[in-house]
């Protein structure tokens, strides 16, 4: 009798489970033996959608699928022990759909998870989702590395046929000529209320979590593992608003988290900024950059906070990048409480020279703008270079502050073509060269900014064609050979005030081109 009651309770529980909108994929024609079951999963999604929504539940086991089209009010739930693999047969990602690739809207392979014009979409659980991206990576390698002309594959012919008249700038020709565009792992297109929580993504064919033109996106507690693979960025919101990224662990073959808003004319055509973004409590390991803004930023990026993150082993830490021709405004950015270690290139980059060979031109809608960017409470060790700030003459980088920053780096801070730039309580301990090299810039403050490891014969601060600058509240604790070196015909209005130089041999080393009245030293 007791056993009968247990069985009845179990049956009742399963019935309630189903009636509550949960569909166990094993009861819907799927299997957890690794046999392809795309049709069963898609039919379960459609079935739930027809009833107003529901949860597609994947118990422990191995599943294999092709591209999945998500609908409104659908949750994909992967239990602990569930492994959902995506097919490496390119046919399973046909027909082509409208999607965005590197900031350009086109027709191409369906993303692995894809939704368009939908809302209330969730992927959650403690399971693993494997994109099996190697086949996609190998195809790109084949196309790019084969020297002799190759016959077009059926996929390239399809792309060519379905994207007639697609315009891109000349510099992008090499990418367009491939006619092969790998799908993102998860792309929601013009959707709202998106939640990705708890799951692990690995081996993405291309960018991993990539909402486009979306509103209210939350990504939390997610692990992304795509190291040693091309262009497999972790989280890339593009032309989205109200984005929340937290508690994620990311190790990838490109940027860990990148904020974008469209490329060049195509991005300006849609004119959809990415805005209201919070990134917090994340760790980033392998990756070209920890948190990156750009380079596709033609629609603009604004109101972003990045806080409480650790970058350990990325090529760069915080990187904001663009170039002439892309247009767009990056503004109102706050970065706070960041720890960096083992950074292979720069800890901080703000550069308008992502395309190095551009020439000065009149200011137009194609001119990129960086302004109102503020970074504080950052620590870096074993860093190759502390920072590079590189503006363009027609649009210097504007209104930037660095506060309470301490870094041990091989090279220091380089600033070129910036205006309204402030350093407060910044210690850059460079082992090669000056801690601060500033050129072709104006309106600066260095307030208690220096080095704890000054180098004999090397100035801590080096200025060239810098104007309207205050250097104050400095008290070098350690013996310092040269505090500052200044040169350049345009250098003027440099004020040293309220400094204590008892431990300094030479306060100012003056270059041959420096005007005698350029520097004013006051007690």
């Amino acid at each position: 009798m007791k056993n009968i009651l247990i069985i009845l309770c179990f049956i009742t529980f399963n019935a309630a489970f189903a009636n509550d909108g949960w569909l166990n994929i094993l009861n819907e024609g799927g299997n957890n033996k690794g046999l392809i079951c795309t049709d069963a999963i898609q039919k379960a999604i459609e079935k739930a959608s027809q009833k107003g929504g529901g949860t597609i539940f994947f118990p422990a086991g191995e599943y294999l699928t092709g591209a999945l089209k998500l609908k409104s009010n659908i949750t994909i739930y992967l239990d602990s022990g569930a492994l959902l693999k995506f097919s490496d047969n390119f046919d399973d990602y046909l027909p082509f759909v409208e999607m965005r690739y590197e900031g350009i809207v086109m027709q191409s392979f369906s993303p692995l998870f894809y939704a368009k014009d939908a809302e209330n979409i969730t992927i959650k659980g403690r399971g693993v989702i494997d994109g099996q991206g190697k086949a996609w990576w190998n195809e790109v390698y084949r196309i790019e590395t084969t020297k002799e002309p190759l016959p077009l594959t059926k996929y390239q012919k399809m792309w060519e046929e379905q994207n007639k008249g697609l315009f891109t700038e000349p510099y992008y020709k090499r990418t367009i000529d491939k006619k092969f565009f790998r799908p993102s792992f998860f792309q929601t297109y013009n959707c709202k209320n998106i939640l990705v929580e708890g799951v692990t993504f690995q081996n993405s064919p291309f960018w991993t979590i990539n909402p486009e033109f979306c509103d209210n996106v939350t990504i939390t507690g997610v692990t992304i593992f795509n190291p040693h693979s091309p262009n497999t960025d972790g989280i890339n919101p593009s032309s989205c608003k109200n984005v929340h990224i937290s508690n994620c662990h990311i190790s990838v073959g490109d940027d860990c988290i990148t904020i974008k808003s469209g490329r060049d004319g195509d991005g300006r055509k849609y004119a959809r900024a990415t805005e209201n973004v919070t990134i917090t409590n994340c760790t980033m390991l392998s990756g070209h950059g920890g948190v990156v803004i750009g380079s596709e930023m033609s629609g603009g990026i604004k109101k972003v906070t990045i806080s409480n993150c650790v970058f350990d082993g990325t090529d760069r830490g915080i990187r904001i990048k663009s170039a002439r021709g892309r247009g767009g405004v990056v503004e109102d950015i706050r970065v706070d409480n960041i720890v960096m270690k083992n950074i292979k290139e720069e800890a901080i980059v703000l550069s308008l020279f992502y395309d190095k060979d551009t020439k000065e031109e009149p200011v137009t809608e194609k001119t990129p703008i960086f302004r109102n960017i503020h970074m504080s409470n950052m620590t870096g060790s074993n860093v190759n270079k502390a920072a590079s700030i590189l503006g363009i003459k027609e649009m210097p980088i504007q209104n930037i502050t660095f506060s309470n920053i301490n870094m041990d780096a091989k090279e220091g801070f380089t600033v070129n073509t910036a205006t309204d730039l402030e350093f407060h309580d910044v210690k850059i301990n460079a082992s090669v060269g000056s801690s601060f090299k500033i050129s072709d810039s104006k309106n600066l403050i260095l307030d208690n900014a220096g080095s704890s490891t000054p180098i004999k014969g090397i100035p801590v601060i080096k200025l060239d064609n810098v104007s309207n600058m205050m250097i104050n509240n400095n008290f070098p604790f350690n013996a310092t050979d040269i505090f500052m070196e200044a040169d350049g015909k345009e250098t003027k209005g440099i004020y040293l005030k309220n400094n204590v130089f008892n431990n300094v041999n030479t306060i100012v080393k003056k270059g041959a081109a420096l005007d005698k009245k350029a520097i004013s030293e006051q007690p």
Side-chain angles (χ1 to χ4, degrees), residues 212-393:
E212 296 278 357
F213 306 112
C214 292
D215 183 10
N216 192 20
V217 177
T218 299
I219 303 162
T220 186
V222 168
T223 297
I224 301 175
F225 192 69
N226 304 317
H228 319 302
S229 50
N231 312 112
T232 52
D233 298 39
I235 302 172
N236 290 29
S238 180
S239 296
C240 294
K241 61 181 179 180
N242 306 317
V243 178
H244 325 90
I245 301 170
S246 63
N247 306 313
C248 293
H249 181 73
I250 304 173
S251 183
V252 293
D254 208 315
D255 296 325
C256 295
I257 297 174
T258 307
I259 304 169
K260 300 175 180 288
S261 64
R263 181 185 292 269
D264 306 325
D266 199 60
R268 293 191 293 274
K269 177 179 73 175
Y270 289 93
R272 294 275 293 272
T274 295
E275 58 184 313
N276 301 349
V277 179
T278 63
I279 299 170
T280 190
N281 298 350
C282 295
T283 55
M284 288 77 155
L285 303 181
S286 172
H288 292 340
V291 178
V292 178
I293 295 175
S295 61
E296 297 90 356
M297 43 75 76
S298 301
I301 295 167
K302 55 188 176 182
K303 292 175 285 183
V304 178
T305 70
I306 304 162
S307 65
N308 304 333
C309 292
V310 175
F311 310 143
D312 188 353
T314 57
D315 291 353
R316 295 169 182 86
I318 300 293
R319 187 182 190 189
I320 305 177
K321 57 183 181 178
S322 189
R324 291 182 174 105
R326 302 208 171 180
V329 180
V330 174
E331 63 183 347
D332 303 333
I333 313 295
R334 285 277 178 178
V335 182
D336 186 61
N337 281 6
I338 305 294
V339 174
M340 305 189 202
K341 189 172 184 179
N342 304 318
I343 305 299
K344 300 177 181 66
E345 299 294 338
E346 301 96 339
I348 301 168
V349 181
L350 278 66
S351 176
L352 292 173
F353 280 92
Y354 190 60
D355 296 330
K356 300 178 179 63
D357 297 329
T358 57
K359 302 293 189 295
E360 185 175 353
E361 59 188 20
V363 174
T364 67
E365 64 174 4
K366 295 183 177 183
T367 305
I369 300 171
F370 289 177
R371 64 190 181 203
N372 302 340
I373 301 169
H374 309 284
M375 303 189 187
S376 59
N377 301 314
M378 303 174 72
T379 299
S381 59
N382 194 24
V383 171
N384 181 61
K385 183 168 185 174
S388 290
I389 314 299
L390 301 173
I392 52 178
K393 288 186 177 180

Side-chain angles (χ1 to χ4, degrees), residues 34 46-47 80 86 92 157 224 265 301 309 347 350 366 382 387 391 396 433 445 465 500 517 521:
E46 301 291 342
K47 179 179 177 180
S80 295
F86 278 82
D92 291 330
K157 291 177 182 177
I224 301 175
I301 295 167
C309 292
L350 278 66
K366 295 183 177 183
N382 194 24
I445 294 175
N465 292 323
V500 178
K517 298 180 180 179
E521 297 182 48

